[in-house]
Amino acid sequence: MSDRSASSPCVLVTGGAGYIGSHVLHALTDAGIPAVTIDNLSTGRRRAVPGAVPLIEGDIGDASLLERTIREHRVDAVMHFAGSIVVPESVSNPLAYYRNNTVNSLTLLDTCVRLGVGNVVFSSTAAVYGSPERVPIDEETPTVPINPYGASKLMTERMLRDAGAAHGVRSVILRYFNVAGADPEGRTGQATPVATHLIKVACQALLGRRPALSIFGTDYPTPDGTCIRDYIHVSDLADAHVLALLHLRRGGESLVLNCGYGGGASVHEVVEALERVSGERVPATLAPRRPGDPPQLVAVADRIRERLGWVPKHDRLDDIVRSALVWERSLDHPAP
Ligand SMILES: NC(=O)c1ccc[n+]([C@@H]2O[C@H](COP(=O)([O-])OP(=O)(O)OC[C@H]3O[C@@H](n4cnc5c(N)ncnc54)[C@H](O)[C@@H]3O)[C@@H](O)[C@H]2O)c1
Ligand SMILES: O=c1ccn([C@@H]2O[C@H](COP(=O)(O)OP(=O)(O)O[C@H]3O[C@H](CO)[C@@H](O)[C@H](O)[C@H]3O)[C@@H](O)[C@H]2O)c(=O)[nH]1
């Protein structure tokens, strides 16, 4: 055990080799906060993990591995990212989603309770709101998920709430809106080649790594007919996680917080931003609506600023798409 781990408590980050988890590991490392990560590398990459952070290759469904890691590293807090994230896959294979997102979260939470780890930061999603009638969406909006992915995450939220009442576990549940962009220093980014997220796919199309971007639906009840989303830069999201951890370590109360900027951009506006920052055309074709896409998802994002003192640094759409494009250029693998 290193001197540092002997002196200060450590945060266990599940899924730290993935897109968002790896940004958070960099943010923790930058802040001098010791961390350890467990990742089964199902979608994550070993090289996304900062060199200073021990990577334990394994599954969070393995209670004995969790227990050993928590004891050996003097873990006092968990940030829980590990999970399955593809919405259509959750529709075709729901039980796999309930297993990886809900059952494995239960194992993790149960282990935390048994070992007295009382601080949990959880990656939730705007998908818990389903297709709400009113936009923008505040945290009191009813949670009515419309797919197994959203339902599997909502169940973990519920477990955290109940474990809080019964066992005193305190949690910050972060409901992410549309996460995009990459580390401004180029240390990590979204690396899976089979991407479905708009900004990543648009970058791949611009670079000729896929034939074209399909714009799913131009007849929505929005000003330009395409869907509107609240895109949040992954580095601002990573900062929010560090603040959430510090809040819990100070003894702060459990919170549920939307993570977005409170503004929206349409699919057309995203494409225009990418063309503006690159000076190049995004090859795009108009396509039918993608099933299950709500017309607008925009957060009311005041609570996270008030409760955590979060101040975003990268909230211009141009900055988000520029960082995504710089990262995409740095990847050596072609898209499928
Ligand atoms: N990307 C988004 O836009 C978005 C939006 C809302 C919520 N989220 C949530 O954020 C979290 C991270 O998402 P991401 O985009 O970084 O995805 P990702 O696939 O890049 O990261 C997930 C990581 O977890 C690991 N993993 C998966 N199952 C595991 C298991 N059973 N044991 C150990 N490791 C496991 C994967 O190898 C990967 O490294 C997820 O919980 C997701 O639901 C993401
Ligand atoms: O090739 C593409 C990909 C996407 N879109 C559109 O772009 C918008 C954004 O889509 P995408 O980037 O796939 O994100 P969402 O479907 O909005 O879902 C993300 O954002 C949600 C919160 O808002 C999270 O719950 C989900 O986990 C996360 O995947 C939607 O209108 C899509 O129809 C296209 O037109 N073409």
Side-chain angles (χ1 to χ4, degrees), residues 184-297:
E185 293 178 38
R187 297 172 295 183
T188 185
Q190 199 172 359
T192 166
V194 273
T196 59
H197 288 158
L198 173 66
I199 290 179
K200 169 116 184 149
V201 171
C203 289
Q204 290 176 333
L206 184 142
L207 295 174
R209 294 177 179 175
R210 61 169 74 215
L213 167 72
S214 296
I215 296 179
F216 296 138
T218 52
D219 58 349
Y220 284 98
T222 58
D224 68 19
T226 62
C227 288
I228 292 176
R229 295 289 182 272
D230 190 340
Y231 293 94
I232 174 171
H233 194 294
V234 64
S235 296
D236 281 337
L237 184 64
D239 289 348
H241 284 75
V242 175
L243 293 171
L245 174 70
L246 297 177
H247 166 86
L248 290 173
R249 281 188 170 161
R250 278 195 306 270
E253 63 178 338
S254 293
L255 298 171
V256 177
L257 303 172
N258 281 344
C259 297
Y261 295 137
S266 72
V267 176
H268 279 321
E269 286 169 338
V270 167
V271 171
E272 283 162 17
L274 193 51
E275 293 183 338
R276 192 163 51 240
V277 303
S278 66
E280 291 173 53
R281 295 268 312 155
V282 177
T285 55
L286 304 184
R289 290 183 180 196
R290 191 173 68 175
D293 277 343
Q296 279 202 54
L297 289 174

Side-chain angles (χ1 to χ4, degrees), residues 2 75 99-100 115 141 183 331:
S2 72
V75 167
R99 183 178 307 285
N100 202 26
L115 300 187
T141 300
D183 178 45
L331 291 175

Side-chain angles (χ1 to χ4, degrees), residues 14-23 38-45 56-62 80-86 99-101 104 122-127 149 152-153 174-180 189-192 197 232 234 237 241:
T14 72
Y19 170 49
I20 302 170
S22 63
H23 284 83
I38 296 180
D39 198 299
N40 65 7
L41 302 181
S42 53
T43 58
R45 303 176 317 147
I56 296 168
E57 196 177 331
D59 200 284
I60 56 149
D62 179 348
H80 181 29
F81 297 92
S84 305
I85 70 156
V86 182
R99 183 178 307 285
N100 202 26
N101 291 351
N104 287 343
F122 174 56
S123 301
S124 191
T125 164
Y149 168 69
S152 71
K153 303 293 277 189
L174 297 174
R175 292 178 177 159
Y176 311 162
F177 281 65
N178 286 58
V179 189
Q190 199 172 359
T192 166
H197 288 158
I232 174 171
V234 64
L237 184 64
H241 284 75

Side-chain angles (χ1 to χ4, degrees), residues 4-41:
R4 196 178 63 163
S5 66
S7 56
S8 19
C10 179
V11 52
L12 168 61
V13 175
T14 72
Y19 170 49
I20 302 170
S22 63
H23 284 83
V24 172
L25 284 180
H26 279 288
L28 289 167
T29 306
D30 292 347
I33 298 171
V36 56
T37 187
I38 296 180
D39 198 299
N40 65 7
L41 302 181

